[in-house]
Amino acid sequence: MSKTIIVSNRLPISLRHRNGRFEFKPSAGGLATGLGSIYKEGENIWIGWPGNTVDDPEQRAEIILELHDLKMAPVFLSKEDVEEFYEGFSNETLWPAFHYFTQYMVYNPEHWDAYVRVNQKFCDAILKKAGPDDTIWIHDYQLLLLPQMLREVLPNATIAFFQHIPFPSYEIIRMIPWRKELLDGVCGADLIGFHTYDDMRHFLSAVGRLTGLSSESGYIQAENRIINVDSFPMGIDYDKFAKQAKSKRTQRFVGEFGKQVEDQKLLLTIDRLDYSKGIPQRIQAFNQLLEQHKELHGKVSMIMIVVPSRDKVQSYKELKEEIDLLVGRINSEYSTLNWVPVHYFYRSFPFEELSAFYNMSDIALVTPLRDGMNLVCKEFVASKTDQTGVLILSEMAGASKELQDAILVNPNDRQGVVDAIYNALSMPLAEQKARISSMQESLKKYDVFQWVKVFMDRLDHVKRKQEELTSKDVDAKVMNEIQANFKKAKNAVLFLDYDGTLTGFHSDPQKAIPDAELKGIVKDLSKLAQVVVISGRDKDTLGRWFDGQDIDMIAEHGVWVKKKENKGDWELYAEIEDGWKDDIRQIMEYYVLRTPGAFIEEKHHSLVWHYRKVESGLGDLRMRELFSHLKYMARGHNLQVLEGNMVLEIKRPDINKGRAATAMMKGGEYDFILAIGDDWTDEDTFKAMPKNAYSIRVGYAFTQANFNIKSVKQVRQLLQKLTS
Ligand SMILES: O=P(O)(O)OC[C@H]1O[C@H](O[C@H]2O[C@H](CO)[C@@H](O)[C@H](O)[C@H]2O)[C@H](O)[C@@H](O)[C@@H]1O
Ligand SMILES: O=c1ccn([C@@H]2O[C@H](COP(=O)(O)OP(=O)(O)O)[C@@H](O)[C@H]2O)c(=O)[nH]1
Ligand SMILES: [Mg+2]
């Protein structure tokens, strides 16, 4: 039976040393609590670090056994691993970078080495457990290299990746010296998920710029497969929180705690100790509230739970000191014998008590400066069994995209936060109920089980799409079949597109000249078959490049044809009418002036605007603009505007490669037909091919062709095989 292997740096339980022994304790943090509800199904297992170092082999063996019963398998990290991989690269480079705290970023090559080493450790641990049909679901930024490491050993495995923290703008990612390796690493997965649309769009933009892989509508075109990138906002185990809040045990705590705070209004804040959570800023906002509203003294207090986290990392140590200081200051200034403004707890709480805090608090103040999702705010809403209470939520948390009925604040706008608290304190009950129940509806619907289901369905979907594509792959078997049929043939014709098919792309199109290898292949083929180079290139370039070859040529998508029998002469296949060109050229020139790197190519029957050399992003933007501009003009002139590989081309619609190929084959009795091309202009050729033809599209895009082939290199291999 196939299983799902969940992999994350931290297991949902952490080991604690106590009196020479160890014990397990639930891990804090959203990843562990969120996924904690789902890994126990079927044969599933969770692989990860048990959160402490264990050197003694006997103890390790014991832990392995105990964890086995809990459906977990440990990856043991050494002291150096913890320092350099976990505290170092993960939490002093990636965490600050991904949360936009670039001032805390450390660039340490030893940390990077450790990151590679520990990702490899995880890879080895997974390989020991993974069967061929298993799904491997990797979580979070500590394991960005793992998908590709696994892919290399298990090329057909089902691998998914989910990132729980934000994915920042390309401007931040580019600061990391190992940025390309990191992105290549994640792209080993089949499905890559983020909490929000913004995270996913930042990721796609970084992949486009740094790896050169292109993408469309969330599908990245990798060398031999497609990868889907999408947004999957994580939910919570709603029923668990709702039920717990009503339970006797929790209600007993509510009663006990309630007695101690009497009828004060309670503001609740719960976070791991982390600078991304905006804890000092929040205390300062509360301080300002008390400064501005003396009437609230003695009537409102803040319960502040700070869960210890990453306390060996310098920036976290400093944060702890800052918080201690700020709490000391506000309490010493305002406390009275029967009122303390901030109840500060630097520790974690058991679930029942946490539930009581959620249930009894009037306001949850969740104001991170940056947060991937933030589950605390969702847990608060789920625990409000009587639908009263107010959630104040930072716009910088992923959760704010879903919880529009919270009071949304910018955590950097202190007065805004103060006003939000003030308004929350006086919000009418009816409004509280309306807001909380609407959020509850949504959290119930999109709970963590639904999240897993949607994610897994999507993974199935990508795998099916990949299969569709690879089922059309020109593999060794297909190659042999093509070769055998070619050998048998008496009258064969080959339609070969040029750019992207016979030769790779060059930043200067005029430099993509045929090399000696290609010339040799074409020469050998032309002795065995009719070879037709069918291209969008202008006739002079094409004629020069294949001068002396015994082949036919079709230039400008079928405007010009040069048959091998009438050497040297180009024949006009379509009548020239180019009165439209002056108007269009003028517009294109305007877009060249505004766009450094862009240029115009003029052919007899078309004008092409090239943007391959334009700053990435800007080129796309200008192309779209030009596209809509030209579309409007095109209608008047009866022209067609087409988007190509880093080009926009405007031409007569009745001229295309398909028409030219059909004309070329007219009257011929072919017993072998092959057409290869790499873009939308070649789709016309494929469409025009008779049923028994082999049509092959280079790259793994969806196509009318009956086969896909990986790259220019493979195309040449196939052609060489035909001549051997
Ligand atoms: O493992 P630690 O270093 O102790 O840190 C705890 C976890 O913190 C992060 O949690 C994130 O995941 C939540 C659920 O998706 C999300 O709500 C939150 O915004 C994130 O910060 C981290 O991503 C995990 O890897 C850590 O285990
Ligand atoms: O004493 C505590 C306080 C909080 N939490 C949990 O820690 C998680 C925090 O997740 P969140 O996504 O809000 O932030 P993260 O810590 O993952 O950045 C929530 O599920 C809380 O229930 C916990 O386990 N023990
Ligand atoms: Mg091409």
Side-chain angles (χ1 to χ4, degrees):
M1 207 177 96
S2 68
K3 59 184 182 294
T4 298
I5 303 179
I6 292 180
V7 190
S8 70
N9 173 56
R10 186 181 288 284
L11 282 174
I13 51 90
S14 297
L15 276 176
R16 230 188 0 200
H17 290 296
R18 193 170 256 196
N19 310 328
R21 296 225 12 102
F22 61 84
E23 59 183 26
F24 294 132
K25 191 181 151 262
S27 300
L31 189 154
T33 51
L35 289 176
S37 298
I38 56 128
Y39 71 98
K40 292 175 187 137
E41 280 165 35
E43 294 296 299
N44 300 354
I45 52 166
W46 191 330
I47 298 182
W49 174 51
N52 217 319
T53 51
V54 184
D55 296 324
D56 176 25
E58 257 174 52
Q59 268 196 342
R60 281 191 178 193
E62 223 175 296
I63 291 167
I64 292 173
L65 277 180
E66 287 200 34
L67 286 179
H68 178 82
D69 293 341
L70 299 169
K71 307 188 68 174
M72 294 180 218
V75 176
F76 291 107
L77 301 187
S78 68
K79 192 166 157 281
E80 289 74 54
D81 291 343
V82 173
E83 282 168 11
E84 296 169 357
F85 154 78
Y86 172 68
E87 285 152 10
F89 199 77
S90 298
N91 289 324
E92 285 181 323
T93 305
L94 296 178
W95 181 274
F98 285 27
H99 286 85
Y100 290 83
F101 282 85
T102 51
Q103 70 274 32
Y104 293 144
M105 282 171 77
V106 168
Y107 305 93
N108 183 334
E110 282 167 25
H111 290 182
W112 166 249
D113 291 343
Y115 190 77
V116 179
R117 179 179 76 228
V118 174
N119 271 254
Q120 191 59 54
K121 233 184 212 186
F122 273 81
C123 182
D124 299 341
I126 295 163
L127 291 174
K128 281 191 198 137
K129 302 273 173 196
D133 298 326
D134 292 345
T135 295
I136 305 169
W137 189 6
I138 300 161
H139 292 264
D140 236 358
Y141 64 100
Q142 301 93 343
L143 301 174
L144 292 170
L145 302 177
L146 187 50
Q148 184 55 30
M149 286 176 172
L150 285 164
R151 177 71 58 203
E152 272 156 31
V153 190
L154 306 169
N156 300 317
T158 301
I159 304 172
F161 180 86
F162 187 84
Q163 174 152 310
H164 292 258
I165 66 174
F167 197 94
S169 145
Y170 160 74
E171 290 301 327
I172 306 279
I173 288 297
R174 69 198 289 213
M175 294 170 76
I176 305 172
W178 307 276
R179 61 217 177 166
K180 185 167 178 318
E181 289 87 331
L182 292 166
L183 293 176
D184 285 339
V186 194
C187 286
D190 300 302
L191 175 63
I192 301 172
F194 296 94
H195 282 307
T196 71
Y197 169 70
D198 282 326
D199 299 323
M200 97 177 232
R201 102 188 142 77
H202 286 148
F203 176 76
L204 285 169
S205 130
V207 166
R209 284 161 174 235
L210 293 167
T211 70
L213 296 177
S214 63
S215 69
E216 213 184 301
S217 316
Y219 287 99
I220 298 176
Q221 204 87 62
E223 216 203 20
N224 52 0
R225 54 190 224 295
I226 49 160
I227 305 163
N228 190 201
V229 179
D230 209 340
S231 133
F232 303 89
M234 187 184 188
I236 57 167
D237 186 346
Y238 186 90
D239 289 340
K240 181 175 143 194
F241 282 90
K243 248 191 226 141
Q244 183 62 40
K246 284 192 196 133
S247 73
K248 273 211 187 102
R249 220 171 127 65
T250 286
Q251 284 307 318
R252 216 177 47 233
F253 282 119
V254 171
E256 259 173 48
F257 296 163
K259 254 186 254 156
Q260 290 162 41
V261 289
E262 294 179 333
D263 53 1
Q264 282 174 45
K265 290 278 186 189
L266 296 180
L267 293 182
L268 177 67
T269 88
I270 302 181
D271 322 80
R272 273 182 310 102
L273 179 89
D274 202 303
Y275 47 79
S276 65
K277 303 286 184 183
I279 302 171
Q281 292 79 351
R282 197 184 298 151
I283 305 171
Q284 279 158 347
F286 188 52
N287 188 66
Q288 192 158 310
L289 177 87
L290 296 180
E291 234 170 67
Q292 292 175 354
H293 297 281
K294 304 271 185 289
E295 74 278 14
L296 295 176
H297 292 197
K299 301 214 169 72
V300 46
S301 59
M302 184 153 116
I303 299 176
M304 192 169 90
I305 298 175
V306 177
V307 181
S309 179
R310 306 172 195 169
D311 48 12
K312 303 272 167 10
V313 178
Q314 188 55 27
S315 46
Y316 287 71
K317 277 188 213 160
E318 286 166 13
L319 177 67
K320 171 74 171 47
E321 281 161 24
E322 190 186 353
I323 295 173
D324 288 353
L325 202 80
L326 285 169
V327 174
R329 216 178 273 162
I330 188 171
N331 279 348
S332 58
E333 183 164 351
Y334 293 106
S335 289
T336 60
L337 279 178
N338 54 6
W339 174 58
V340 182
V342 181
H343 302 273
Y344 170 32
F345 307 92
Y346 180 59
R347 58 171 186 266
S348 62
F349 281 86
F351 183 50
E352 311 79 62
E353 290 180 48
L354 215 54
S355 169
F357 282 124
Y358 282 139
N359 184 253
M360 68 191 283
S361 300
D362 301 283
I363 301 171
L365 195 52
V366 183
T367 54
L369 302 176
R370 217 35 95 160
D371 213 334
M373 172 52 73
N374 192 289
L375 298 183
V376 163
C377 61
K378 294 188 169 182
E379 294 168 4
F380 168 75
V381 173
S383 309
K384 294 313 250 171
T385 41
D386 64 356
Q387 278 94 37
T388 63
V390 184
L391 171 63
I392 299 175
L393 178 60
S394 161
E395 296 163 358
M396 310 296 170
S400 70
K401 310 278 155 81
E402 289 169 84
L403 299 177
Q404 297 281 333
D405 282 306
I407 300 185
L408 296 180
V409 291
N410 174 347
N412 303 303
D413 169 14
R414 187 171 304 161
Q415 189 58 48
V417 176
V418 171
D419 295 345
I421 304 175
Y422 189 75
N423 293 336
L425 285 168
S426 55
M427 186 183 280
L429 266 187
E431 185 179 347
Q432 294 182 25
K433 286 192 173 178
R435 288 179 183 247
I436 293 279
S437 41
S438 139
M439 291 190 280
Q440 285 184 343
E441 281 314 304
S442 151
L443 292 178
K444 233 186 265 180
K445 183 163 171 197
Y446 300 103
D447 68 1
V448 73
F449 303 101
Q450 185 62 18
W451 177 72
V452 173
K453 186 174 174 329
V454 170
F455 188 86
M456 287 301 176
D457 284 352
R458 199 67 199 165
L459 183 57
D460 269 355
H461 167 84
V462 195
K463 286 311 260 188
R464 260 184 281 120
K465 281 216 164 198
Q466 286 179 350
E467 261 168 42
E468 265 172 53
L469 287 172
T470 47
S471 66
K472 291 169 63 172
D473 201 13
V474 178
D475 54 15
K477 195 171 147 240
V478 177
M479 277 222 194
N480 289 338
E481 180 198 306
I482 296 176
Q483 186 193 28
N485 284 330
F486 183 71
K487 276 230 164 86
K488 271 192 272 170
K490 301 228 158 44
N491 194 17
V493 59
L494 314 176
F495 290 97
L496 306 176
D497 164 55
Y498 186 74
D499 293 280
T501 301
L502 295 178
T503 300
F505 290 101
H506 200 285
S507 59
D508 179 351
Q510 283 307 321
K511 291 199 174 130
I513 47 176
D515 55 21
E517 181 188 69
L518 178 60
K519 284 184 174 161
I521 294 173
V522 172
K523 192 169 171 204
D524 293 345
L525 278 175
S526 68
K527 291 180 194 147
L528 305 168
Q530 179 184 353
V531 176
V532 187
V533 171
I534 180 166
S535 167
R537 289 261 181 186
D538 68 84
K539 72 176 189 348
D540 301 332
T541 306
L542 216 56
R544 204 169 55 246
W545 284 354
F546 290 98
D547 187 30
Q549 294 266 20
D550 201 17
I551 61 169
D552 297 324
M553 280 178 252
I554 294 173
E556 287 194 33
H557 303 114
V559 175
W560 299 99
V561 173
K562 187 165 130 174
K563 290 262 179 66
K564 58 180 173 187
E565 51 270 23
N566 33 348
K567 283 200 168 10
D569 289 334
W570 285 93
E571 216 182 296
L572 198 58
Y573 247 34
E575 167 209 335
I576 298 190
E577 194 284 296
D578 63 359
W580 54 273
K581 274 191 174 168
D582 289 343
D583 286 358
I584 303 282
R585 194 186 305 104
Q586 234 179 11
I587 297 168
M588 283 193 166
E589 263 160 14
Y590 170 64
Y591 282 83
V592 169
L593 283 180
R594 289 172 63 211
T595 318
F599 62 93
I600 300 170
E601 180 191 3
E602 179 152 357
K603 302 192 236 173
H604 287 87
H605 260 61
S606 69
L607 284 171
V608 191
W609 192 80
H610 285 254
Y611 63 99
R612 191 174 300 282
K613 290 202 251 180
V614 176
E615 174 191 350
S616 109
L618 178 67
D620 243 7
L621 179 80
R622 288 281 196 271
M623 185 273 286
R624 300 253 151 258
E625 227 181 297
L626 177 59
F627 199 128
S628 49
H629 203 153
L630 289 182
K631 228 171 33 193
Y632 163 75
M633 301 275 301
R635 238 176 285 145
H637 287 291
N638 188 26
L639 295 165
Q640 182 186 28
V641 193
L642 292 166
E643 201 189 317
N645 194 311
M646 299 290 189
V647 297
L648 197 65
E649 175 148 12
I650 182 159
K651 67 179 201 41
R652 269 180 41 184
D654 55 336
I655 293 171
N656 64 54
K657 289 180 177 177
R659 191 180 102 132
T662 306
M664 183 66 89
M665 287 186 291
K666 204 171 163 199
E669 298 253 317
Y670 297 104
D671 51 1
F672 179 97
I673 303 171
L674 171 73
I676 318 182
D678 75 302
D679 70 16
W680 51 267
T681 64
D682 305 301
E683 292 293 325
D684 291 322
T685 317
F686 303 147
K687 267 184 266 173
M689 289 295 123
K691 269 216 175 74
N692 59 344
Y694 290 105
S695 51
I696 306 178
R697 167 111 183 209
V698 187
Y700 285 81
F702 291 96
T703 174
Q704 301 262 351
N706 36 36
F707 291 100
N708 288 85
I709 197 163
K710 204 162 158 185
S711 61
V712 169
K713 201 169 139 200
Q714 253 88 10
V715 171
R716 291 190 180 192
Q717 270 169 17
L718 171 69
L719 296 178
Q720 272 164 335
K721 207 172 158 79
L722 297 186
T723 62
S724 67

